[in-house]
Amino acid sequence: MPGNLEPLDIGIQIPYHFRCPISLELMSDPVTVSTGQTYDRTSIESWIATGNTSCPVTRLPLSDFTLIPNHTLRRLIQEWCVANRSNGVERIPTPKQPADPISVRSLLSQASAITGTHVSVRSRAAAIRRLRGLARDSEKNRVLIAGHNAREILVRILFADVDAGVETTSSSSEVVSESLALLVMFHMTEGECESISSDPGRVGFTTRLLFDSSIENRVNAAALVEMVLTGSKSTDLKVTISGSGSVFEGVMDLLRSSVSSRRALKIGVKALFALCLVKQTRHLAISAGAPGTLIDRLAADFDRCDTERGLATVELLCRMPEGCAAFGEHALTVPLLVKTILRVSDRATEYAAGALLALCTAEERCRDEAAAAGLVTQLVLLVQSDCTERAKRKAQMLLKLLRDSWPDETVVNSDDF
């Protein structure tokens, strides 16, 4: 049965010709191959991708691998879904048609044309916007676009004014915005990342985009900062990016903003974590107010993955004395970290325990706060859990450190314990 029918268990009979011969599930995007047989697109694409060159049903060789959408069958399947809506069957959406190489090449050529020759700024921006829509539709489209040297072209477009030594005008800003939004949808190679991180002009331009009036440009600039930091292997180049206090301030403004979307917060915390991995410039995050903002966001807004990354950043900053001091001044730091243990994930528990170990080692006041917040009980449970070995080691070290802070009435002070 297809996934959307599994919980029903009411014996719905799917018409035989609506099922894919390969997966035996309801087809959502039926396509016809050269032998005349129809399959679901994902199934037949997987079949061909594994090296098969024959039709799965007829076993005849495929004269070509063109997949023709079977619109008539798809509409019949959609009508059947609508007719069975009362039984909990959801209507399959109309699939987006995959990009074709000819149109991708044409759009990239139009996007990279020199403004003022035969292509206007508006048409260049429209071409990039169209490519962005195709990239958003599917991973297959993104692979196809990237295969036409799109990343290198987009980097050139994005930094064209900087490389030419001219100011970005209001007319070209639309092209910059669209090229930036499309570029961050791809995984960049080390060489492409270092082509940005090794150029002070490009680094400075990216930093200025963090303070752009458009929140989308700011978010995409933060995404580019994270990508370039992660993709550059050279420590010196990483320091070139993270060595400016403005980069940290721009990312922190994104995290503090009341209008930040879920995507903005996710990218903001990823960028901050990538910046804090550069040990030489970690102090700039503390100067920019990262400790207070992280705790405020962890207490309210982050989902699980963002919480893990946020806690990892807290632990990194707690490795510095000024970081411990800054986190210790926030009233919610210790209670929040204690509450996180065994609540979110194994990774989150490990990071929270590491941050608490640094804080409790640095200040007696933090040890008293942690004990009062119930950390001892959490640590005892952690040591007995299936958590990571690193988390357990940190828990054992914390228990020894907190021995003098355990409340008198607790059983853990007894010799038997």
Side-chain angles (χ1 to χ4, degrees):
M1 296 289 281
N4 60 343
L5 297 181
E6 285 179 354
L8 300 177
D9 193 25
I10 56 176
I12 295 178
Q13 294 297 317
I14 301 176
Y16 174 78
H17 53 284
F18 289 178
R19 291 179 180 268
C20 173
I22 297 175
S23 67
L24 301 181
E25 294 184 353
L26 184 68
M27 289 186 281
S28 59
D29 186 8
V31 292
T32 302
V33 298
S34 59
T35 60
Q37 292 293 324
T38 297
Y39 304 92
D40 201 22
R41 181 184 294 276
T42 54
S43 297
I44 192 63
E45 284 181 342
S46 297
W47 170 268
I48 294 172
T50 55
N52 294 294
T53 59
S54 61
C55 173
V57 171
T58 65
R59 297 298 178 182
L60 296 173
L62 295 171
S63 58
D64 63 67
F65 299 110
T66 303
L67 304 179
I68 303 173
N70 192 328
H71 298 297
T72 301
L73 180 57
R74 175 178 50 77
R75 282 193 289 269
L76 289 172
I77 293 174
Q78 288 176 326
E79 290 173 2
W80 178 83
C81 291
V82 171
N84 286 275
R85 183 181 298 168
S86 59
N87 293 323
V89 179
E90 296 180 5
R91 180 182 182 274
I92 61 170
T94 301
K96 301 285 182 68
Q97 293 305 308
D100 66 274
I102 296 175
S103 63
V104 168
R105 283 195 295 270
S106 175
L107 289 168
L108 285 171
S109 176
Q110 183 178 344
S112 56
I114 299 174
T115 302
T117 52
H118 61 284
V119 179
S120 66
V121 171
R122 181 170 296 180
S123 63
R124 290 180 65 200
I128 301 173
R129 193 177 302 114
R130 174 60 180 149
L131 286 167
R132 186 180 170 194
L134 292 172
R136 193 185 295 116
D137 284 345
S138 69
E139 175 64 23
K140 183 179 178 180
N141 283 357
R142 289 192 288 276
V143 171
L144 175 64
I145 295 170
H148 284 79
N149 207 27
R151 295 187 303 267
E152 183 179 337
I153 293 172
L154 290 168
V155 169
R156 286 203 305 267
I157 295 172
L158 176 60
F159 297 109
D161 290 344
V162 175
D163 295 343
V166 299
E167 289 291 328
T168 300
T169 63
S170 57
S171 61
S172 61
S173 61
E174 185 179 5
V175 172
V176 168
S177 298
E178 292 295 338
S179 59
L180 174 62
L182 178 56
L183 178 61
V184 297
M185 296 178 72
F186 300 104
H187 297 290
M188 297 172 65
T189 66
E190 181 181 350
E192 290 161 348
C193 290
E194 294 189 347
S195 73
I196 298 174
S197 58
S198 62
D199 189 320
R202 291 182 172 187
V203 172
F205 180 69
T206 305
T207 302
R208 290 195 295 277
L209 285 175
L210 288 170
F211 300 92
D212 195 85
S213 58
S214 165
I215 184 67
E216 183 179 9
N217 284 350
R218 291 163 59 194
V219 172
N220 289 330
L224 183 59
V225 167
E226 188 270 336
M227 290 170 60
V228 172
L229 278 169
T230 304
S232 299
K233 302 302 181 185
S234 168
T235 301
D236 291 340
L237 293 180
K238 290 176 183 285
V239 172
T240 300
I241 300 172
S242 62
S244 167
S246 298
V247 174
F248 283 97
E249 290 168 7
V251 172
M252 294 315 304
D253 284 348
L254 194 62
L255 286 172
R256 292 191 191 102
S257 176
S258 59
V259 298
S260 288
S261 62
R262 180 64 61 187
R263 176 175 178 261
L265 292 176
K266 182 179 291 294
I267 289 176
V269 74
K270 284 180 69 175
L272 180 60
F273 176 64
L275 287 164
C276 290
L277 284 174
V278 185
K279 191 189 314 183
Q280 296 89 329
T281 57
R282 203 171 285 165
H283 64 281
L284 295 174
I286 300 168
S287 301
T293 302
L294 277 172
I295 296 300
D296 290 339
R297 284 302 191 186
L298 282 166
D301 298 307
F302 287 160
D303 60 21
R304 196 192 79 170
C305 291
D306 297 338
T307 296
E308 290 177 350
R309 197 170 279 110
L311 289 168
T313 309
V314 171
E315 185 182 17
L316 284 174
L317 294 178
C318 282
R319 294 177 184 178
M320 305 182 68
E322 56 266 47
C324 282
F327 280 109
E329 291 173 0
H330 198 297
L332 292 179
T333 297
V334 173
L336 176 69
L337 293 174
V338 172
K339 183 180 178 181
T340 300
I341 291 179
L342 297 176
R343 289 285 187 91
V344 180
S345 67
D346 287 353
R347 284 187 178 182
T349 295
E350 182 180 319
Y351 299 142
L356 282 167
L357 180 60
L359 289 167
C360 292
T361 301
E363 294 188 41
E364 183 179 354
R365 175 175 56 83
C366 290
R367 295 197 288 273
D368 294 336
E369 284 184 32
L375 178 59
V376 173
T377 302
Q378 294 287 78
L379 294 176
V380 171
L381 292 172
L382 172 55
V383 171
Q384 301 175 74
S385 72
D386 294 327
C387 207
T388 65
E389 289 302 316
R390 287 187 63 199
K392 290 181 180 181
R393 285 197 300 271
K394 292 174 182 178
Q396 291 164 351
M397 294 169 69
L398 267 170
L399 281 170
K400 293 177 182 178
L401 192 63
L402 293 174
R403 177 74 193 204
D404 294 334
S405 300
W406 291 345
D408 292 337
E409 66 274 10
T410 183
V411 70
V412 294
N413 271 311
S414 69
D415 292 335
D416 289 341
F417 179 83

